[in-house]
Amino acid sequence: MSGDRARTQRQSAARGADHVVAVLLIGGQALASMAIGSVSLLFMMISDGCHDEPDDPFICSDAGGTVFLGGILLEWALLVVGLVVSIRLVARASSRGETCWTKPFVGAAIGLLGILVLAVNVAVASA
């Protein structure tokens, strides 16, 4: 009987550690998303040269500004969607008794797609 009890305790400890790691990964993803979203606001200064003599006719046009703002909004949306997907996958895996700690990486990949959208957006706007 003590062997079964020890095995159950080890499984319970492993399950607890799995949940702790998953929550820490989601917390790190949330902090990184907030930091990246805040830094992306600084890229709005790309249009600072549009007052007297526009340096860049694309970004200073209405269409260019709309494309640039749309790219930033898409980046924020992808960061939020990645975080929601991570939470949803961890909750589903936990309810099914599966391993949870690997699930936040799916949401992080979606967030990285948002960062890629921002990078392409800035490259196009500043080119």
Short mmCIF file of all heavy atoms in Angstrom, two decimals, residues 22-66:
data_model
loop_
_atom_site.label_atom_id
_atom_site.label_comp_id
_atom_site.label_asym_id
_atom_site.label_seq_id
_atom_site.Cartn_x
_atom_site.Cartn_y
_atom_site.Cartn_z
N ALA A 22 3.13 26.04 -16.08
CA ALA A 22 2.21 26.58 -17.09
C ALA A 22 1.76 27.99 -16.71
O ALA A 22 1.73 28.89 -17.56
CB ALA A 22 1.00 25.66 -17.24
N VAL A 23 1.45 28.20 -15.44
CA VAL A 23 1.02 29.53 -15.01
C VAL A 23 2.16 30.53 -15.12
O VAL A 23 1.96 31.68 -15.53
CB VAL A 23 0.45 29.47 -13.57
CG1 VAL A 23 0.28 30.85 -12.99
CG2 VAL A 23 -0.87 28.72 -13.56
N LEU A 24 3.37 30.12 -14.78
CA LEU A 24 4.52 31.02 -14.92
C LEU A 24 4.78 31.38 -16.38
O LEU A 24 5.09 32.54 -16.69
CB LEU A 24 5.77 30.39 -14.30
CG LEU A 24 5.81 30.31 -12.78
CD1 LEU A 24 7.04 29.54 -12.31
CD2 LEU A 24 5.79 31.70 -12.17
N LEU A 25 4.63 30.42 -17.27
CA LEU A 25 4.81 30.71 -18.70
C LEU A 25 3.74 31.67 -19.21
O LEU A 25 4.03 32.59 -19.98
CB LEU A 25 4.79 29.41 -19.51
CG LEU A 25 6.04 28.54 -19.39
CD1 LEU A 25 5.81 27.19 -20.06
CD2 LEU A 25 7.24 29.23 -19.97
N ILE A 26 2.50 31.48 -18.77
CA ILE A 26 1.43 32.39 -19.18
C ILE A 26 1.67 33.78 -18.61
O ILE A 26 1.47 34.79 -19.29
CB ILE A 26 0.05 31.84 -18.76
CG1 ILE A 26 -0.30 30.64 -19.61
CG2 ILE A 26 -1.04 32.91 -18.89
CD1 ILE A 26 -1.56 29.92 -19.18
N GLY A 27 2.13 33.86 -17.36
CA GLY A 27 2.46 35.15 -16.77
C GLY A 27 3.58 35.86 -17.52
O GLY A 27 3.51 37.07 -17.77
N GLY A 28 4.60 35.11 -17.89
CA GLY A 28 5.69 35.69 -18.69
C GLY A 28 5.21 36.15 -20.04
O GLY A 28 5.62 37.21 -20.54
N GLN A 29 4.31 35.38 -20.64
CA GLN A 29 3.75 35.78 -21.93
C GLN A 29 2.93 37.05 -21.79
O GLN A 29 3.00 37.95 -22.64
CB GLN A 29 2.89 34.65 -22.50
CG GLN A 29 2.31 34.96 -23.85
CD GLN A 29 1.43 33.84 -24.37
OE1 GLN A 29 1.31 32.79 -23.76
NE2 GLN A 29 0.82 34.09 -25.50
N ALA A 30 2.18 37.16 -20.70
CA ALA A 30 1.37 38.37 -20.49
C ALA A 30 2.26 39.59 -20.28
O ALA A 30 2.01 40.66 -20.86
CB ALA A 30 0.46 38.18 -19.28
N LEU A 31 3.32 39.45 -19.49
CA LEU A 31 4.24 40.57 -19.27
C LEU A 31 4.95 40.97 -20.55
O LEU A 31 5.09 42.16 -20.85
CB LEU A 31 5.25 40.22 -18.18
CG LEU A 31 4.70 40.16 -16.76
CD1 LEU A 31 5.78 39.66 -15.80
CD2 LEU A 31 4.18 41.50 -16.32
N ALA A 32 5.40 39.98 -21.31
CA ALA A 32 6.07 40.28 -22.58
C ALA A 32 5.12 40.95 -23.56
O ALA A 32 5.50 41.89 -24.27
CB ALA A 32 6.64 39.00 -23.18
N SER A 33 3.87 40.51 -23.59
CA SER A 33 2.89 41.12 -24.49
C SER A 33 2.63 42.57 -24.12
O SER A 33 2.53 43.44 -25.00
CB SER A 33 1.57 40.34 -24.45
OG SER A 33 1.74 39.05 -24.99
N MET A 34 2.54 42.84 -22.81
CA MET A 34 2.33 44.23 -22.39
C MET A 34 3.54 45.10 -22.74
O MET A 34 3.39 46.23 -23.20
CB MET A 34 2.06 44.29 -20.88
CG MET A 34 0.69 43.81 -20.50
SD MET A 34 0.24 44.09 -18.79
CE MET A 34 1.52 43.24 -17.90
N ALA A 35 4.75 44.57 -22.55
CA ALA A 35 5.96 45.33 -22.86
C ALA A 35 6.06 45.60 -24.36
O ALA A 35 6.33 46.73 -24.78
CB ALA A 35 7.19 44.59 -22.36
N ILE A 36 5.81 44.59 -25.16
CA ILE A 36 5.90 44.76 -26.61
C ILE A 36 4.80 45.69 -27.11
O ILE A 36 5.04 46.54 -27.98
CB ILE A 36 5.82 43.38 -27.31
CG1 ILE A 36 7.09 42.59 -27.00
CG2 ILE A 36 5.62 43.52 -28.80
CD1 ILE A 36 6.99 41.13 -27.33
N GLY A 37 3.60 45.56 -26.56
CA GLY A 37 2.52 46.46 -26.94
C GLY A 37 2.83 47.90 -26.59
O GLY A 37 2.51 48.83 -27.34
N SER A 38 3.48 48.12 -25.44
CA SER A 38 3.85 49.49 -25.05
C SER A 38 4.94 50.05 -25.93
O SER A 38 4.90 51.22 -26.33
CB SER A 38 4.32 49.50 -23.60
OG SER A 38 3.28 49.08 -22.75
N VAL A 39 5.92 49.22 -26.26
CA VAL A 39 7.02 49.68 -27.12
C VAL A 39 6.51 49.98 -28.53
O VAL A 39 7.00 50.90 -29.18
CB VAL A 39 8.16 48.63 -27.13
CG1 VAL A 39 9.17 48.92 -28.22
CG2 VAL A 39 8.84 48.57 -25.78
N SER A 40 5.51 49.23 -28.97
CA SER A 40 5.00 49.47 -30.33
C SER A 40 4.37 50.86 -30.44
O SER A 40 4.29 51.41 -31.54
CB SER A 40 4.00 48.40 -30.73
OG SER A 40 2.83 48.47 -29.95
N LEU A 41 3.93 51.42 -29.33
CA LEU A 41 3.40 52.79 -29.38
C LEU A 41 4.50 53.79 -29.77
O LEU A 41 4.21 54.82 -30.38
CB LEU A 41 2.83 53.18 -28.02
CG LEU A 41 1.52 52.51 -27.62
CD1 LEU A 41 1.15 52.88 -26.20
CD2 LEU A 41 0.42 52.90 -28.58
N LEU A 42 5.74 53.48 -29.42
CA LEU A 42 6.84 54.38 -29.77
C LEU A 42 7.05 54.46 -31.28
O LEU A 42 7.57 55.45 -31.78
CB LEU A 42 8.13 53.94 -29.08
CG LEU A 42 8.09 53.97 -27.55
CD1 LEU A 42 9.38 53.40 -26.99
CD2 LEU A 42 7.86 55.38 -27.05
N PHE A 43 6.65 53.42 -31.99
CA PHE A 43 6.80 53.44 -33.44
C PHE A 43 5.84 54.42 -34.10
O PHE A 43 5.97 54.72 -35.28
CB PHE A 43 6.61 52.04 -34.03
CG PHE A 43 7.77 51.13 -33.75
CD1 PHE A 43 7.61 50.02 -32.97
CD2 PHE A 43 9.02 51.41 -34.27
CE1 PHE A 43 8.66 49.18 -32.70
CE2 PHE A 43 10.09 50.59 -34.01
CZ PHE A 43 9.91 49.47 -33.22
N MET A 44 4.88 54.92 -33.35
CA MET A 44 3.98 55.94 -33.90
C MET A 44 4.75 57.21 -34.24
O MET A 44 4.27 58.04 -35.01
CB MET A 44 2.86 56.27 -32.91
CG MET A 44 1.94 55.11 -32.68
SD MET A 44 1.12 54.64 -34.17
CE MET A 44 -0.56 54.72 -33.65
N MET A 45 5.94 57.37 -33.67
CA MET A 45 6.74 58.56 -33.94
C MET A 45 7.35 58.54 -35.34
O MET A 45 8.00 59.49 -35.74
CB MET A 45 7.84 58.70 -32.88
CG MET A 45 7.29 59.07 -31.51
SD MET A 45 8.55 59.41 -30.31
CE MET A 45 9.30 57.82 -30.08
N ILE A 46 7.13 57.45 -36.08
CA ILE A 46 7.63 57.41 -37.45
C ILE A 46 7.02 58.54 -38.26
O ILE A 46 7.64 59.10 -39.16
CB ILE A 46 7.34 56.03 -38.09
CG1 ILE A 46 8.28 54.99 -37.50
CG2 ILE A 46 7.46 56.07 -39.58
CD1 ILE A 46 8.05 53.59 -38.00
N SER A 47 5.81 58.93 -37.92
CA SER A 47 5.12 59.98 -38.68
C SER A 47 5.44 61.38 -38.16
O SER A 47 4.83 62.35 -38.61
CB SER A 47 3.61 59.75 -38.63
OG SER A 47 3.15 59.85 -37.30
N ASP A 48 6.41 61.55 -37.28
CA ASP A 48 6.75 62.87 -36.76
C ASP A 48 7.32 63.80 -37.83
O ASP A 48 7.24 65.01 -37.70
CB ASP A 48 7.77 62.76 -35.61
CG ASP A 48 7.11 62.38 -34.31
OD1 ASP A 48 5.86 62.34 -34.27
OD2 ASP A 48 7.82 62.12 -33.33
N GLY A 49 7.87 63.26 -38.88
CA GLY A 49 8.46 64.09 -39.93
C GLY A 49 7.45 64.55 -40.97
O GLY A 49 7.84 65.01 -42.04
N CYS A 50 6.19 64.47 -40.69
CA CYS A 50 5.15 64.79 -41.68
C CYS A 50 4.63 66.21 -41.58
O CYS A 50 3.67 66.54 -42.26
CB CYS A 50 3.97 63.82 -41.52
SG CYS A 50 4.38 62.12 -41.94
N HIS A 51 5.21 67.06 -40.77
CA HIS A 51 4.61 68.38 -40.55
C HIS A 51 4.86 69.35 -41.70
O HIS A 51 3.96 69.64 -42.47
CB HIS A 51 5.10 68.97 -39.23
CG HIS A 51 4.65 68.17 -38.05
ND1 HIS A 51 3.33 68.06 -37.71
CD2 HIS A 51 5.34 67.42 -37.17
CE1 HIS A 51 3.21 67.28 -36.64
NE2 HIS A 51 4.42 66.88 -36.31
N ASP A 52 6.05 69.88 -41.85
CA ASP A 52 6.31 70.92 -42.86
C ASP A 52 6.56 70.32 -44.23
O ASP A 52 5.80 70.52 -45.16
CB ASP A 52 7.50 71.78 -42.42
CG ASP A 52 7.20 72.50 -41.11
OD1 ASP A 52 6.02 72.84 -40.89
OD2 ASP A 52 8.14 72.72 -40.33
N GLU A 53 7.67 69.63 -44.34
CA GLU A 53 8.02 68.97 -45.59
C GLU A 53 8.11 67.48 -45.33
O GLU A 53 9.04 67.02 -44.68
CB GLU A 53 9.37 69.49 -46.12
CG GLU A 53 9.35 70.95 -46.51
CD GLU A 53 10.72 71.41 -46.98
OE1 GLU A 53 11.51 70.56 -47.42
OE2 GLU A 53 10.98 72.61 -46.91
N PRO A 54 7.16 66.72 -45.82
CA PRO A 54 7.16 65.28 -45.53
C PRO A 54 8.42 64.59 -46.04
O PRO A 54 8.81 64.76 -47.19
CB PRO A 54 5.92 64.76 -46.25
CG PRO A 54 5.09 65.95 -46.53
CD PRO A 54 6.02 67.12 -46.60
N ASP A 55 9.05 63.84 -45.15
CA ASP A 55 10.22 63.04 -45.54
C ASP A 55 9.79 61.82 -46.36
O ASP A 55 10.48 61.39 -47.26
CB ASP A 55 10.97 62.57 -44.30
CG ASP A 55 11.56 63.73 -43.52
OD1 ASP A 55 11.79 64.79 -44.12
OD2 ASP A 55 11.79 63.56 -42.31
N ASP A 56 8.69 61.25 -45.97
CA ASP A 56 8.23 60.02 -46.60
C ASP A 56 6.80 60.20 -47.08
O ASP A 56 5.88 60.33 -46.27
CB ASP A 56 8.30 58.87 -45.60
CG ASP A 56 7.98 57.52 -46.21
OD1 ASP A 56 7.83 57.45 -47.44
OD2 ASP A 56 7.88 56.55 -45.44
N PRO A 57 6.58 60.23 -48.36
CA PRO A 57 5.23 60.49 -48.85
C PRO A 57 4.24 59.37 -48.50
O PRO A 57 3.06 59.62 -48.33
CB PRO A 57 5.39 60.62 -50.36
CG PRO A 57 6.73 60.11 -50.67
CD PRO A 57 7.55 60.14 -49.43
N PHE A 58 4.73 58.12 -48.35
CA PHE A 58 3.79 57.03 -48.04
C PHE A 58 3.23 57.15 -46.63
O PHE A 58 2.02 57.15 -46.44
CB PHE A 58 4.46 55.67 -48.22
CG PHE A 58 3.58 54.53 -47.77
CD1 PHE A 58 2.47 54.19 -48.53
CD2 PHE A 58 3.84 53.83 -46.61
CE1 PHE A 58 1.63 53.15 -48.12
CE2 PHE A 58 3.02 52.80 -46.20
CZ PHE A 58 1.91 52.45 -46.96
N ILE A 59 4.10 57.24 -45.65
CA ILE A 59 3.62 57.27 -44.27
C ILE A 59 2.87 58.57 -43.97
O ILE A 59 2.02 58.61 -43.10
CB ILE A 59 4.77 57.05 -43.27
CG1 ILE A 59 4.24 56.68 -41.88
CG2 ILE A 59 5.64 58.27 -43.15
CD1 ILE A 59 3.55 55.38 -41.81
N CYS A 60 3.16 59.62 -44.70
CA CYS A 60 2.49 60.90 -44.47
C CYS A 60 1.15 61.00 -45.20
O CYS A 60 0.40 61.95 -44.98
CB CYS A 60 3.40 62.05 -44.89
SG CYS A 60 4.87 62.18 -43.84
N SER A 61 0.84 60.03 -46.05
CA SER A 61 -0.46 60.04 -46.72
C SER A 61 -1.50 59.40 -45.81
O SER A 61 -1.17 58.71 -44.84
CB SER A 61 -0.38 59.26 -48.04
OG SER A 61 -0.22 57.88 -47.77
N ASP A 62 -2.76 59.65 -46.10
CA ASP A 62 -3.83 59.05 -45.30
C ASP A 62 -3.81 57.53 -45.39
O ASP A 62 -4.00 56.84 -44.40
CB ASP A 62 -5.19 59.58 -45.75
CG ASP A 62 -5.40 61.03 -45.34
OD1 ASP A 62 -4.71 61.48 -44.40
OD2 ASP A 62 -6.26 61.70 -45.96
N ALA A 63 -3.57 57.02 -46.58
CA ALA A 63 -3.55 55.57 -46.76
C ALA A 63 -2.39 54.94 -45.99
O ALA A 63 -2.54 53.90 -45.35
CB ALA A 63 -3.44 55.22 -48.24
N GLY A 64 -1.23 55.57 -46.05
CA GLY A 64 -0.07 55.04 -45.33
C GLY A 64 -0.28 55.05 -43.83
O GLY A 64 0.08 54.09 -43.13
N GLY A 65 -0.85 56.12 -43.31
CA GLY A 65 -1.14 56.17 -41.89
C GLY A 65 -2.13 55.12 -41.46
O GLY A 65 -2.01 54.51 -40.40
N THR A 66 -3.13 54.89 -42.30
CA THR A 66 -4.13 53.86 -42.00
C THR A 66 -3.52 52.47 -42.01
O THR A 66 -3.80 51.65 -41.14
CB THR A 66 -5.29 53.94 -43.01
OG1 THR A 66 -5.84 55.26 -42.98
CG2 THR A 66 -6.36 52.93 -42.71
#
